[in-house]
């Protein structure tokens, strides 16, 4: 498939349309308590090699908390670790430029705060809004298994992306959107397997891994992961399910390791 044929695909057009709309409506340029909590840990890991964020939160937040965890004299992100680690590659690339080009202070904001603001914008554009737009394309593809009416499928995709709270959460760096992408991607892989004779171990592994990765993004998604597992059992009950379970366990081990490192 050449690039012209690829760009003519309906799901690709939906993706770019939704993505551009999200970029127009990007909010929280200055960040928010949730994003600041998660991204401060990303910055700290790159600059200091630690999950503690003592040097990256304001004095006010040290008193009130501001969505941070506090343990044995140190502050940590108060959220699941997935969004923190997902932002690491972005900050690894941006760090040399921000460190060398940003002034020590601008409009009353210290360099650490400026880095946080810029990182918040970068991860919203490159991660949150991008994955949210991919969700719209996934919904279009998933809806094929419920209706063949092309207009209905397009309408459903746009309604979810632009007519629900997805529009709000997709224009900032929110864990809910990140988790939703991985959960919906896992469901897409599962429903595709259910309606296909080809059920490879690779696809099962990928579906299980994606389902469990959603938990690392937002802990309540363990409920959705459980429902997805039950859905898998509805059409597959043989030894191949081991690959799904194995993949699901890996992110859980990472979560437990993360909490053990910080909270012992």
């Amino acid at each position: 498939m050449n690039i012209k044929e690829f760009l003519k695909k309906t799901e690709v057009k939906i993706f770019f349309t939704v993505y551009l709309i999200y970029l127009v409506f990007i909010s929280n340029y200055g960040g928010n308590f949730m994003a600041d909590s998660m991204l401060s840990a990303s910055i700290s890991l790159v600059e200091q090699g630690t999950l503690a964020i003592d040097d990256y939160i304001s004095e006010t937040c040290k008193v009130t908390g501001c969505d941070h965890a506090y343990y044995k004299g140190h502050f940590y992100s108060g959220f699941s670790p997935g969004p923190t680690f997902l932002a690491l590659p972005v900050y690894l690339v941006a760090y040399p430029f921000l460190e060398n080009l940003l002034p020590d202070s601008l409009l009353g904001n210290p360099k650490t705060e400026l880095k946080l603001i810029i990182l918040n914008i970068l991860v919203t554009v490159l991660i949150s809004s991008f994955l949210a737009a991919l969700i719209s394309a996934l919904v279009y593809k998933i809806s094929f298994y419920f209706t063949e009416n092309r207009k209905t499928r397009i309408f459903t995709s746009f309604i979810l992306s632009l007519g629900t709270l997805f529009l709000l959460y997709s224009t900032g760096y929110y864990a809910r959107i990140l988790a939703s992408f991985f959960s919906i991607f896992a469901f897409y892989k599962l429903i595709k397997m259910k309606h296909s004779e080809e059920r490879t171990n690779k696809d099962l592994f990928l579906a299980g891994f994606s389902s469990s990765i959603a938990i690392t993004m937002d802990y309540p998604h363990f409920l959705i992961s459980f429902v997805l597992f039950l859905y898998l059992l509805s059409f597959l009950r043989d030894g191949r399910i081991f690959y799904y379970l194995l993949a699901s366990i890996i992110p859980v081990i990472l979560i437990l390791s993360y909490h053990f490192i910080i909270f012992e």
Side-chain angles (χ1 to χ4, degrees):
M1 181 186 298
N2 59 44
I3 188 66
K4 289 185 178 180
E5 292 177 344
F6 176 75
L7 293 176
K8 288 181 180 179
K9 295 173 70 71
T10 302
E11 56 267 38
V12 175
K13 293 178 181 179
I14 291 173
F15 164 78
F16 281 112
T17 301
V18 173
Y19 186 48
L20 290 174
I21 292 174
Y22 284 161
L23 294 184
V24 170
F25 287 98
I26 281 180
S27 58
N28 296 320
Y29 287 106
N32 56 69
F33 287 146
M34 178 184 289
D36 288 355
S37 175
M38 298 183 296
L39 297 177
S40 292
S42 303
I43 295 174
S44 183
L45 275 171
V46 172
E47 297 187 359
Q48 299 184 356
T50 177
L51 290 164
I53 57 175
D54 303 334
D55 297 333
Y56 300 94
I57 62 176
S58 66
E59 292 301 318
T60 300
C61 284
K62 288 181 179 180
V63 176
T64 62
C66 294
D67 288 345
H68 300 117
Y70 183 76
Y71 182 69
K72 288 190 175 181
H74 295 289
F75 288 89
Y76 301 92
S77 172
F79 296 94
S80 45
T84 291
F85 288 99
L86 198 60
L88 275 180
V90 176
Y91 192 65
L92 278 170
V93 174
Y95 171 64
F97 301 96
L98 299 181
E99 181 65 23
N100 294 313
L101 298 178
L102 287 177
D104 292 332
S105 179
L106 180 66
L107 301 176
N109 296 305
K111 181 183 282 190
T112 54
E113 184 65 27
L114 295 174
K115 290 177 180 177
L116 194 56
I117 292 172
I118 294 174
L119 180 59
N120 182 75
I121 297 172
L122 289 175
V123 295
T124 299
V125 172
L126 299 175
I127 300 177
S128 184
S129 294
F130 182 83
L131 293 182
L134 281 179
I135 289 175
S136 65
L138 284 174
V139 169
Y140 175 78
K141 294 178 75 68
I142 290 170
S143 63
F144 170 77
Y145 299 103
F146 298 93
T147 177
E148 294 185 5
N149 188 300
R150 183 170 175 270
K151 291 183 179 179
T152 300
R153 295 169 61 197
I154 294 173
F155 179 76
T156 301
S157 182
F158 280 128
I159 281 294
L160 173 68
S161 302
L162 306 176
T164 69
L165 286 175
F166 262 76
L167 177 59
L168 170 64
Y169 288 120
S170 300
T171 56
Y173 195 63
Y174 290 100
R176 299 175 184 89
I177 286 297
L178 307 179
S180 295
F181 167 77
F182 289 103
S183 290
I184 292 173
F185 178 75
F187 177 62
Y188 167 67
K189 299 298 290 186
L190 291 176
I191 196 171
K192 187 177 180 181
M193 281 187 279
K194 181 178 181 179
H195 292 84
S196 172
E197 294 182 359
E198 185 179 359
R199 298 167 183 173
T200 66
N201 296 334
K202 178 182 176 181
D203 285 338
L204 283 166
F205 188 93
L206 186 58
F209 188 75
S210 184
S211 171
S212 200
I213 278 289
I215 304 174
T216 72
M217 300 293 160
D218 193 28
Y219 291 143
H221 272 252
F222 83 90
L223 295 171
I224 296 176
S225 295
F226 179 68
V227 171
L228 288 174
F229 178 64
L230 294 180
Y231 179 69
L232 172 62
L233 290 178
S234 71
F235 64 87
L236 183 67
R237 300 186 190 90
D238 58 39
R240 289 175 294 175
I241 206 169
F242 168 78
Y243 291 93
Y244 184 93
L245 293 174
L246 176 63
S248 299
I249 291 172
I250 295 174
V252 174
I253 293 175
L254 295 176
I255 293 174
L256 296 176
S257 301
Y258 169 81
H259 281 275
F260 182 78
I261 290 171
I262 294 178
F263 305 114
E264 302 175 4

